[in-house]
Amino acid sequence: MKNILIIFIIALAATAIVNRANGQSPSTNGIDTTLENKRKVIDSLDRQLFEVLGARERVVREIGVYKAAHHIAPLQAARFQKVLERGIEAGKKEGLSAEFITELLNAIHKESLRIEEASPDHKH
């Protein structure tokens, strides 16, 4: 999933660079204006997505400190399985495939483990 997020961020940056290089700006054409407006909505949603991910990872750091203080291993497979199952169900309601949700949550989980293990209180 980390790779997906990196690819997503690179794609967003590349699009912005290409648009600037081509001098693209909102057109007075109704179709182009509609497209630009929809892209602005997507940009706003992307910012919100990253804010939510950041907030989630801040909680992960707190959990990492707690686990380290109580000698609990960072990886809790049963907990992750429940998160995955709930995510797949929630994703279905939004029209997202189980494969996508699984890949997304695996990437988020991998980043969460990295953050927990990087905690100064975590002892290997």
Side-chain angles (χ1 to χ4, degrees):
M1 181 56 197
K2 185 175 179 183
N3 290 338
I4 288 175
L5 289 176
I6 291 170
I7 291 168
F8 179 73
I9 292 167
I10 291 170
L12 286 175
T15 301
I17 291 167
V18 168
N19 286 344
R20 266 194 220 127
N22 291 335
Q24 289 183 359
S25 61
S27 169
T28 56
N29 179 324
I31 294 173
D32 289 345
T33 301
T34 299
L35 185 59
E36 276 303 312
N37 288 338
K38 295 297 181 188
R39 286 178 175 162
K40 286 179 183 177
V41 171
I42 287 174
D43 291 346
S44 176
L45 291 169
D46 288 344
R47 279 190 299 278
Q48 291 175 48
L49 175 64
F50 292 122
E51 288 171 6
V52 168
L53 286 171
R56 185 186 193 284
E57 296 309 325
R58 285 187 288 280
V59 174
V60 165
R61 280 185 189 90
E62 294 172 10
I63 289 172
V65 169
Y66 179 89
K67 285 180 177 179
H70 293 87
H71 309 291
I72 300 170
L75 177 59
Q76 301 290 304
R79 162 72 181 150
F80 179 67
Q81 187 59 41
K82 288 180 184 178
V83 169
L84 188 57
E85 289 168 4
R86 278 197 318 264
I88 290 171
E89 279 304 308
K92 281 182 189 177
K93 292 177 183 173
E94 296 297 328
L96 303 170
S97 72
E99 293 80 14
F100 171 73
I101 295 299
T102 300
E103 196 171 329
L104 176 66
L105 288 176
N106 275 320
I108 291 170
H109 187 246
K110 183 177 178 180
E111 178 67 1
S112 297
L113 287 173
R114 184 196 66 77
I115 288 169
E116 278 189 41
E117 291 172 351
S119 167
D121 299 320
H122 180 76
K123 295 172 180 67
H124 294 282

